[in-house]
Amino acid sequence: DGGITQSPKYLFRKEGQNVTLSCEQNLNHDAMYWYRQDPGQGLRLIYYSQIVNDFQKGDIAEGYSVSREKKESFPLTVTSAQKNPTAFYLCASSPNSPISASTDTQYFGPGTRLTVL
Amino acid sequence: AQTVTQSQPEMSVQEAETVTLSCTYDTSESDYYLFWYKQPPSRQMILVIRQEAYKQQNATENRFSVNFQKAAKSFSLKISDSQLGDAAMYFCAYRSEGGGSNYKLTFGKGTLLTVNP
């Protein structure tokens, strides 16, 4: 089945440690995104990537890093520099079609809940 | 910058009845897209409906329809014949037309919908 997978579903980290969240898609989408969700808040964009080997900072990129070496994969690293990393993290992808932007709807993975102990 | 406001933190509806969720947004752009996403207890974001701003006709998807008022910058979601499975957090989101950082979604803070049997 086509879709977006995120792993792990739950992740615990000690303060001062870096941790990497996985996001994989087999939808052949060009664009991928990382969002953070806090209680009582909507989603906020951390990083996005429109093509392989290219990515851009979103609204809250400080303390995070990403890579996009393959079209299917867009891992997010939460570094020790992130002051308040406990949150729910959602990955999304979209076709990013230059021909028809109207079809550029974002589809989401199931999310990863990160807790800092 | 665009903002999205959902003024109803919580709503409730009786099963089989109709409910309307409100969303307003602020933008200086003329071309954009609006979305409603549903987030059930599983926390996966599911696309409910999408509206292109250049289209005057309101979008519909089975029991879900929108009332898009471009001049008023209003985008409400109507759920008809409510079902228990409709219970979820509903997010309104805005996306600019065009490329670059315009691909990001700007979300409201959500409305928690409860469906009573």
Side-chain angles (χ1 to χ4, degrees), chain B residues 10-15 19 21 82-84 86-90 111-117:
Chain B
E10 297 184 25
M11 292 280 286
S12 64
V13 63
Q14 291 297 125
E15 195 175 4
V19 64
L21 309 184
S82 296
Q83 301 175 359
L84 295 177
D86 295 333
M89 183 72 84
Y90 286 81
T111 297
L112 180 63
L113 178 66
T114 302
V115 180
N116 301 309

Side-chain angles (χ1 to χ4, degrees), chain B residues 62-101:
Chain B
N62 301 314
R63 297 182 296 107
F64 298 88
S65 62
V66 299
N67 183 6
F68 173 50
Q69 302 289 329
K70 191 173 183 179
K73 297 179 183 175
S74 171
F75 183 60
S76 61
L77 174 70
K78 185 172 83 171
I79 307 174
S80 303
D81 186 25
S82 296
Q83 301 175 359
L84 295 177
D86 295 333
M89 183 72 84
Y90 286 81
F91 290 95
C92 179
Y94 173 104
R95 206 213 87 189
S96 297
E97 169 68 272
S101 63

Side-chain angles (χ1 to χ4, degrees), chain A residues 3-61:
Chain A
I4 304 171
T5 57
Q6 292 184 241
S7 61
K9 187 173 183 178
Y10 299 97
L11 187 58
F12 298 89
R13 190 196 90 174
K14 293 182 179 179
E15 284 194 26
Q17 288 182 337
N18 292 355
V19 64
T20 297
L21 283 60
S22 170
C23 178
E24 304 277 335
Q25 54 96 2
N26 61 4
L27 300 168
N28 200 33
H29 285 172
D30 287 312
M32 297 186 74
Y33 312 80
W34 274 105
Y35 290 89
R36 169 179 171 143
Q37 185 179 25
D38 294 284
Q41 301 290 325
L43 280 65
R44 293 181 291 165
L45 182 67
I46 304 172
Y47 267 98
Y48 67 98
S49 168
Q50 294 183 38
I51 56 173
V52 175
N53 293 321
D54 184 61
F55 49 83
Q56 305 295 328
K57 292 182 179 180
D59 297 324
I60 55 166

Side-chain angles (χ1 to χ4, degrees), chain A residues 4 9 33 35 37 40-45 48 50 59 88 90 96-98 101-110 113, chain B residues 33 35 37 39 42-47 50 52 54 89 91 95 97-110:
Chain A
I4 304 171
K9 187 173 183 178
Y33 312 80
Y35 290 89
Q37 185 179 25
Q41 301 290 325
L43 280 65
R44 293 181 291 165
L45 182 67
Y48 67 98
Q50 294 183 38
D59 297 324
F88 187 63
L90 285 154
N96 195 27
S97 168
S102 65
T103 63
D104 195 29
T105 297
Q106 292 183 24
Y107 298 92
F108 286 81
R113 172 70 183 175
Chain B
Y33 304 94
F35 304 84
Y37 282 90
Q39 189 178 42
S42 67
R43 302 200 72 177
Q44 176 147 14
M45 296 287 282
I46 302 166
L47 177 68
R50 183 185 72 215
E52 291 90 342
Y54 63 85
M89 183 72 84
F91 290 95
R95 206 213 87 189
E97 169 68 272
S101 63
N102 290 335
Y103 281 116
K104 79 168 189 179
L105 289 171
T106 300
F107 286 86
K109 293 187 176 182

